[in-house]
C-alpha cells in the first residue's frame, strides 16, 4: 500500500481540487459538492471555501476591488507551517492550467494586489496563529531575537509592531520603519517599506540580512547577499512576483528611549523642501542641520477651514499621551487656520523627531541643544512650532491611535483611492504648484498628503524596487492618502488621481508610482519598470515561470512564453 506523508497528501488533494474545479459545472451547488469531496482528502485544517473566508480574503484596505466587480478567490489556505505553502505551489505547478496563488498578510493593499481571482489566497497570519494554538513554542520561533547577533528573525506574517516590542524587550530596535506598524514583514518587504527614517538608513528592503522564500515552483530557499543573491534581490521590492517571504532576518541596533516629536509650519513649498534637504544631507552640504533629526517627513495642509489640521495622522498615541491633540490649546489651531487663510489656503508641515535617552542616543548634542539649532536655522513661519515628548515606541506607533479613533467612528473601512509617487528633486516644486495649489484644492478630501525627500544612495539598485530613473542624489515621496468618506466620493477622487498622473506625463516629470498599480503588462513595462523590465522578466521566468504568484498585481496574468 502506498503511504504518503502530510505534504504529499496536500499536493495530491490540491491537484484534485484544481482538476475538479475545471471539470465541475459552474453552479454554486455543484461547486459546493466537489469542494466537499476535496475536504475528504485530508486537508480540512488547511482549506476553506465558504463565502465568509473567500470574500474576506479577497477584500483589502482600498475597498475598491470587489466593489468594482473583481472576482473573489475560490479558496483560502490556512497554513500551519511554510511547507504547506510550498505544497500548494507545487500542486499549482502540476495542474493544467496552474491556478493563481497569492499571499495575504493584513490585506492592506489598495487595488487587489494580494487577491487571487478564482484561485487560492494564503492566509499568512495562520502561520503565527498555529504556533500560539500549539502552546506558544511555534509562535516564539516565528519571532526570535538574537541579542548577541543583533538581529531578529521574524516570520513573514509577523506585524512590525510586534517586531518592535520583541526587540525593545532587549533594548534593541530595527533602524528602518514604515509609518504604520500594523503591517506584515513580508508585505512591506515585497514593496520597499518607507518612512522618515529612510533618508538615513534606507528603506526596509535595505535593512535585511537574510530571507526564507518559497518560490513559485514550490522550492524553499534561504537567501542573502552572499547566498542565492539573485533571488534575494529579486524578492525585495518584487511585488510578490518571485516568492512568498516566510522569514526575514532584520538587523538591530541599540534603541533610544524617547522622541521629541516636532512640527514646524511653513507657508511655501520652497522653504519646506530646502530645509528638508539640508536635514537629510548627512556628510555633504547640510551644514549644522545635516543629520540633526532622526526622522524627517512633511505634509501639506489644504484649506484649514475643512478641519484637515486635525486629521487622524496628527494625533499622538492615546491614551498615554497627556493631550488629545498635537496642539497645546485651541488657540494654536485657530492661529494655524488664520495663517492658512492669509496665504491662500495651503500650508506645509515639516514633521520630525529627535531620538534621545537609552543606549541608542548617539548624538553629540543633547535634545534641547539640537532643538535650539532647529529653531534658529529652519525657515519656518516664526511662532508656529509645536512639540511634544513621547516614548520611542509611542512615536513609532503613533498612527495606530488615529486608526482606533477612525474605527470607533466607523471611518476606517471606507474606500481609500490613494496615490503614492516618487518624484525627481528638480521637479518637486513644479508638482507642488500645480497639484497642491490647484488640482487638490478643487475637491478637498479627508486624509493626509505627505511630501518628504530620500537619499538615492540608501537604495540598492540591484533590488526590484523602482525609483525615478535619473542621477539626482535626492528624490521625493508624495503620498496622497485620502479617504472616500461620503457616498459618491470615490469616482471624483479617482478622476483627480488620473489628472495628477496626466499632469506629470504632460509636464515630462519622471515619476514612479510607489505601491504601483497598472492594468496591463505593457504599462508595467513602459511606465514602471523601464530599464529593469528585462531583468524582471528573466527572474520571473526563473522563479515563477507559470506566473502563479500574485496575479492580482496584473504584471503577469498567464504563464510566460
Amino acid at each position: 500500500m502506498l503511504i504518503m506523508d502530510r505534504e504529499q497528501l496536500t499536493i495530491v488533494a490540491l491537484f484534485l481540487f484544481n482538476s475538479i474545479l475545471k471539470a465541475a459545472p459552474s453552479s454554486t451547488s455543484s461547486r459546493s459538492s466537489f469542494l466537499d469531496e476535496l475536504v475528504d482528502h485530508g486537508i480540512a485544517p488547511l482549506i476553506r471555501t465558504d463565502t465568509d473566508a473567500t470574500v474576506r480574503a479577497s477584500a483589502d484596505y482600498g475597498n475598491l476591488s470587489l466593489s468594482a466587480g473583481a472576482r473573489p478567490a475560490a479558496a483560502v489556505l490556512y497554513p500551519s507551517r511554510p511547507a504547506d505553502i510550498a505544497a500548494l505551489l507545487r500542486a499549482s505547478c502540476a495542474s493544467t492550467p496552474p491556478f493563481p496563488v497569492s499571499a495575504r498578510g493584513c490585506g492592506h493593499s489598495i487595488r487587489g494586489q494580494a487577491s487571487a481571482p478564482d484561485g487560492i489566497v494564503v492566509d499568512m497570519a495562520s502561520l503565527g496563529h498555529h504556533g500560539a494554538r500549539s502552546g506558544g513554542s511555534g509562535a516564539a520561533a516565528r519571532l526570535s531575537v538574537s541579542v548577541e547577533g543583533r538581529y531578529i528573525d521574524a516570520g513573514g506574517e509577523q506585524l512590525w509592531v510586534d517586531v518592535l516590542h520583541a526587540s525593545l524587550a532587549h533594548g534593541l530596535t530595527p533602524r528602518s520603519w514604515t509609518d504604520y506598524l500594523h503591517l506584515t514583514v513580508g508585505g512591506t518587504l515585497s514593496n520597499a517599506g518607507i518612512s522618515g527614517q529612510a533618508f538615513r538608513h534606507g528603506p526596509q528592503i535595505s535593512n535585511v540580512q537574510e530571507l526564507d522564500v518559497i518560490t513559485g515552483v514550490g522550492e524553499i530557499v534561504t537567501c542573502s547577499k552572499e547566498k542565492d543573491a539573485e533571488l534575494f534581490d529579486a524578492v525585495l521590492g518584487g511585488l510578490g512576483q518571485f516568492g512568498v517571504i516566510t522569514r526575514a532576518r532584520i538587523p538591530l541596533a541599540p534603541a533610544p528611549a524617547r522622541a521629541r516629536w516636532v512640527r514646524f509650519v511653513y507657508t511655501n513649498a520652497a522653504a519646506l523642501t530646502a530645509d528638508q534637504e539640508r536635514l537629510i544631507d548627512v556628510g555633504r552640504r547640510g551644514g549644522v542641520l545635516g543629520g540633526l533629526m532622526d526622522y524627517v517627513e512633511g505634509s501639506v495642509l489644504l484649506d484649514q477651514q475643512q478641519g484637515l489640521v486635525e486629521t487622524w495622522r496628527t494625533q499622538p498615541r492615546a491614551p498615554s499621551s497627556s493631550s488629545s491633540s498635537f496642539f497645546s490649546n485651541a488657540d494654536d489651531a485657530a492661529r494655524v487656520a488664520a495663517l492658512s487663510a492669509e496665504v491662500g489656503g495651503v500650508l506645509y508641515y515639516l514633521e520630525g523627531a529627535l531620538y534621545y535617552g537609552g543606549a541608542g542616543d548617539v548624538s553629540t548634542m543633547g535634545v534641547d541643544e539640537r532643538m535650539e539649532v532647529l529653531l534658529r536655522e529652519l525657515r519656518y513661519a516664526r511662532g508656529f512650532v509645536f512639540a511634544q515628548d513621547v516614548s520611542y515606541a509611542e512615536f513609532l506607533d503613533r498612527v495606530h491611535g488615529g486608526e482606533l479613533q477612525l474605527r470607533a467612528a466607523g471611518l476606517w473601512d471606507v474606500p481609500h483611492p490613494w496615490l503614492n509617487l516618487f518624484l525627481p528633486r528638480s521637479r518637486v516644486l513644479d508638482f507642488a504648484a500645480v497639484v497642491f495649489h490647484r488640482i487638490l484644492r478643487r475637491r478637498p478630501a479627508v486624509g493626509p498628503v505627505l511630501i518628504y525627500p530620500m537619499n538615492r544612495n540608501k537604495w540598492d539598485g540591484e533590488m526590484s524596487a523602482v525609483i525615478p530613473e535619473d542621477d539626482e542624489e535626492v528624490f521625493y515621496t508624495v503620498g496622497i492618502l485620502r479617504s472616500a468618506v461620503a457616498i459618491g466620493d470615490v469616482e471624483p477622487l479617482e478622476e483627480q488621481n488620473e489628472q495628477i498622473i496626466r499632469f506629470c506625463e504632460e509636464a515630462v516629470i519622471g515619476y514612479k508610482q510607489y505601491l504601483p498599480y497598472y492594468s496591463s503588462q505593457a504599462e508595467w513595462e513602459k511606465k514602471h519598470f523601464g530599464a529593469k523590465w528585462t531583468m524582471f522578466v528573466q527572474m520571473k521566468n526563473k522563479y515563477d515561470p507559470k506566473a502563479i504568484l500574485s496575479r492580482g498585481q496584473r504584471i503577469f496574468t498567464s504563464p510566460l512564453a
Side-chain angles (χ1 to χ4, degrees):
M1 181 176 68
L2 178 63
I3 300 176
M4 295 184 288
D5 64 19
R6 178 187 177 201
E7 184 172 332
Q8 291 170 319
L9 184 62
T10 300
I11 294 174
V12 172
L14 289 170
F15 179 81
L16 291 173
F17 164 70
N18 193 55
S19 300
I20 295 168
L21 265 180
K22 289 179 289 184
S26 58
S27 72
T28 302
S29 59
S30 299
R31 191 182 182 93
S32 177
S33 64
F34 66 69
L35 292 176
D36 287 342
E37 182 178 337
L38 175 64
V39 172
D40 293 336
H41 285 84
I43 56 173
L46 300 178
I47 294 283
R48 281 180 58 183
T49 59
D50 57 279
T51 301
D52 286 347
T54 57
V55 170
R56 177 185 174 279
S58 303
D60 60 25
Y61 180 70
N63 273 302
L64 299 170
S65 301
L66 289 183
S67 60
R71 300 189 307 278
V76 184
L77 175 76
Y78 294 88
S80 61
R81 56 182 183 167
D84 296 331
I85 304 172
L88 175 72
L89 289 167
R90 287 196 291 273
S92 181
C93 285
S95 301
T96 306
F99 52 82
V101 174
S102 286
R104 184 183 190 274
C106 293
H108 210 262
S109 302
I110 304 301
R111 300 180 185 277
Q113 288 95 330
S115 65
D118 297 329
I120 298 181
V121 170
V122 178
D123 185 274
M124 295 297 290
S126 181
L127 291 171
H129 294 161
H130 178 81
R133 287 195 300 269
S134 61
S137 59
R142 305 294 300 160
L143 199 59
S144 178
V145 175
S146 170
V147 176
E148 182 178 343
R150 289 224 177 153
Y151 63 79
I152 183 168
D153 280 326
E157 80 289 347
Q158 295 295 311
L159 301 183
W160 282 105
V161 68
D162 295 323
V163 171
L164 171 64
H165 291 299
S167 304
L168 287 180
H170 301 277
L172 300 171
T173 179
R175 297 176 300 178
S176 186
W177 298 97
T178 60
D179 282 337
Y180 179 58
L181 301 188
H182 295 251
L183 302 173
T184 62
V185 169
T188 66
L189 294 182
S190 295
N191 289 280
I194 60 174
S195 77
Q197 285 87 214
F199 80 90
R200 188 188 299 274
H201 301 296
Q204 289 182 313
I205 57 174
S206 295
N207 292 269
V208 182
Q209 293 177 342
E210 186 178 273
L211 296 172
D212 283 346
V213 175
I214 305 173
T215 69
V217 295
E219 182 182 4
I220 301 177
V221 181
T222 297
C223 55
S224 66
K225 277 291 190 181
E226 291 72 40
K227 180 175 181 281
D228 290 305
E230 195 175 62
L231 177 62
F232 183 78
D233 287 338
V235 167
L236 291 170
L239 305 176
Q241 293 301 304
F242 311 110
V244 177
I245 298 172
T246 58
R247 180 186 64 90
R249 177 165 291 177
I250 311 297
L252 302 176
R258 306 281 296 171
R260 180 159 296 174
W261 182 11
V262 296
R263 281 201 178 93
F264 296 85
V265 179
Y266 286 71
T267 58
N268 63 84
L272 169 78
T273 55
D275 278 352
Q276 286 180 324
E277 290 173 23
R278 292 170 71 198
L279 287 164
I280 73 164
D281 195 346
V282 181
R284 297 196 302 273
R285 297 177 300 275
V288 295
L289 290 178
L292 201 63
M293 283 187 179
D294 298 289
Y295 166 99
V296 177
E297 280 194 7
S299 57
V300 187
L301 287 78
L302 302 167
D303 293 315
Q304 290 299 300
Q305 66 270 25
Q306 302 296 324
L308 296 185
V309 72
E310 286 302 298
T311 61
W312 54 272
R313 279 182 62 92
T314 71
Q315 304 300 321
R317 181 70 172 92
S320 58
S321 181
S322 60
S323 64
S324 61
S325 166
F326 208 89
F327 299 121
S328 57
N329 56 62
D331 291 340
D332 290 336
R335 288 195 305 117
V336 172
L339 181 63
S340 175
E342 180 182 327
V343 299
V346 181
L347 290 176
Y348 297 86
Y349 272 146
L350 192 162
E351 180 172 15
L354 295 78
Y355 300 152
Y356 64 98
D361 188 347
V362 296
S363 175
T364 58
M365 290 190 289
V367 65
D368 291 330
E369 292 177 275
R370 284 188 281 164
M371 192 69 185
E372 288 176 6
V373 175
L374 294 173
L375 291 169
R376 183 178 68 247
E377 297 290 332
L378 294 176
R379 288 166 283 187
Y380 62 96
R382 288 302 187 252
F384 289 89
V385 57
F386 308 94
Q388 56 181 285
D389 287 75
V390 296
S391 74
Y392 175 69
E394 281 181 310
F395 174 73
L396 291 179
D397 199 22
R398 63 200 178 279
V399 176
H400 187 51
E403 175 192 350
L404 296 178
Q405 294 177 34
L406 288 183
R407 286 190 182 280
L411 296 175
W412 182 257
D413 296 316
V414 298
H416 298 95
W418 286 6
L419 178 64
N420 291 276
L421 301 174
F422 290 150
L423 302 175
R425 171 190 175 275
S426 59
R427 303 302 303 276
V428 70
L429 294 183
D430 297 334
F431 182 92
V434 174
V435 175
F436 300 153
H437 290 261
R438 287 167 47 189
I439 295 177
L440 293 183
R441 294 194 63 209
R442 292 169 188 161
R443 188 180 181 90
V446 174
V449 177
L450 307 182
I451 174 173
Y452 59 97
M454 297 190 187
N455 290 315
R456 178 181 295 271
N457 63 8
K458 297 298 181 180
W459 291 66
D460 187 334
E462 298 300 314
M463 294 177 179
S464 292
V466 173
I467 58 178
E469 296 175 339
D470 56 52
D471 296 324
E472 296 181 10
E473 293 179 348
V474 171
F475 65 96
Y476 272 78
T477 292
V478 172
I480 303 173
L481 312 180
R482 297 174 296 170
S483 300
V485 298
I487 296 175
D489 273 355
V490 173
E491 185 174 343
L493 294 179
E494 293 276 56
E495 291 174 355
Q496 210 170 54
N497 288 342
E498 292 173 4
Q499 187 178 2
I500 292 168
I501 293 298
R502 283 198 305 273
F503 160 70
C504 289
E505 293 177 348
E506 291 169 0
V508 196
I509 295 176
Y511 74 92
K512 292 294 181 181
Q513 285 193 37
Y514 179 60
L515 307 178
Y517 171 83
Y518 293 102
S519 58
S520 70
Q521 189 178 94
E523 285 184 307
W524 279 104
E525 177 181 359
K526 180 180 179 181
K527 294 185 176 182
H528 188 71
F529 288 107
K532 285 192 173 184
W533 177 249
T534 298
M535 182 60 68
F536 202 81
V537 173
Q538 289 174 355
M539 294 300 98
K540 187 70 171 180
N541 203 29
K542 182 173 183 178
Y543 295 110
D544 183 25
K546 296 192 175 182
I548 291 167
L549 291 167
S550 297
R551 289 190 191 173
Q553 293 279 6
R554 298 173 179 82
I555 306 174
F556 304 99
T557 57
S558 59
L560 301 181

